[in-house]
Amino acid sequence: MKRLLSAMLLIAGLGALTCVHAEKADATKPTNVEADQMQYDDVKQINTFVGNVVLTRGSILMKSNKMVVTQDPAGYQFVVMYAAPGSLASFRQKRDGGPDQWIEGQAERIEYDDKNEIMKLYSKARMRRLENGKTTDEVNGEYISYDTRAEFFTVHNTSGGDSKPGAGRIKAIIQPRADTTKAP
């Protein structure tokens, strides 16, 4: 019975972790990119930025060594960010629901599908939820898929997006939530 209760509490905690609301106002903001170099292929609609790449759009901040942006005929963008050897690409975005709530992630490669609003983190993947400057929840694995629309993510122990026995372990740290229904 004690194991069942512990498992139920862990599942409830993970459910709270997946409730990550990205700031909706970011969608209406202009995208600004800084890099050491840029190449643009107008025919293929591919833009490549290389060297200390920094992308900002509203509260979104993305950093990598190389970023490739492909645009489809409907105007949706697919972004792939690559880390420099020995480092990690990263993103950070303000969340709706409070004045100081953030989601951030790091990995060797990060892909973002603008049309489906899915972020995929590959190799040494890590996502954290922050509130008032403090980490409230954190997950680590070789692969994280984060669906920003459904507010749902999965974590796997291989960078191929699946889990295999003996391939390593994922890790989740879920902080206790304050009970706001009790009087002080």
Side-chain angles (χ1 to χ4, degrees):
M1 183 67 160
K2 192 173 185 180
R3 281 188 180 182
L4 178 61
L5 181 59
S6 294
M8 289 172 60
L9 288 172
L10 178 61
I11 291 167
L14 287 174
L17 179 60
T18 61
C19 188
V20 177
H21 304 279
E23 184 153 276
K24 307 273 187 269
D26 288 338
T28 63
K29 305 285 193 226
T31 301
N32 299 298
V33 181
E34 293 182 21
D36 295 336
Q37 176 186 351
M38 180 188 94
Q39 297 173 338
Y40 180 64
D41 184 331
D42 194 27
V43 175
K44 294 181 182 177
Q45 292 292 291
I46 299 173
N47 207 339
T48 304
F49 300 90
V50 179
N52 195 26
V53 181
V54 178
L55 178 146
T56 57
R57 181 178 186 186
S59 73
I60 299 171
L61 174 64
M62 296 178 159
K63 295 181 178 183
S64 64
N65 183 57
K66 179 179 178 182
M67 182 173 65
V68 179
V69 181
T70 307
Q71 186 166 304
D72 71 12
Y76 291 105
Q77 296 179 334
F78 185 77
V79 178
V80 182
M81 299 186 327
Y82 301 92
S87 66
L88 299 173
S90 66
F91 77 90
R92 179 178 169 97
Q93 183 175 19
K94 187 170 184 326
R95 297 175 50 237
D96 282 333
D100 195 15
Q101 295 183 16
W102 298 83
I103 185 82
E104 63 183 27
Q106 298 175 316
E108 289 181 352
R109 184 175 91 236
I110 299 175
E111 297 179 358
Y112 180 69
D113 178 342
D114 183 42
K115 181 176 184 177
N116 297 305
E117 297 182 33
I118 294 178
M119 180 92 61
K120 295 179 181 181
L121 293 80
Y122 296 88
S123 300
K124 299 179 185 171
R126 174 181 166 193
M127 281 183 60
R128 299 186 318 158
R129 196 167 80 170
L130 298 107
E131 198 168 314
N132 298 320
K134 295 186 177 164
T135 301
T136 58
D137 300 303
E138 181 176 339
V139 292
N140 296 278
E142 282 302 300
Y143 171 85
I144 300 172
S145 177
Y146 169 48
D147 183 332
T148 63
R149 279 189 208 160
E151 300 170 357
F152 177 81
F153 63 89
T154 58
V155 184
H156 295 278
N157 67 359
T158 70
S159 60
D162 55 358
S163 289
K164 295 181 182 174
R169 309 272 291 163
I170 65 102
K171 183 178 179 182
I173 300 170
I174 300 140
Q175 299 296 328
R177 301 292 190 261
D179 186 354
T180 58
T181 60
K182 292 183 181 179

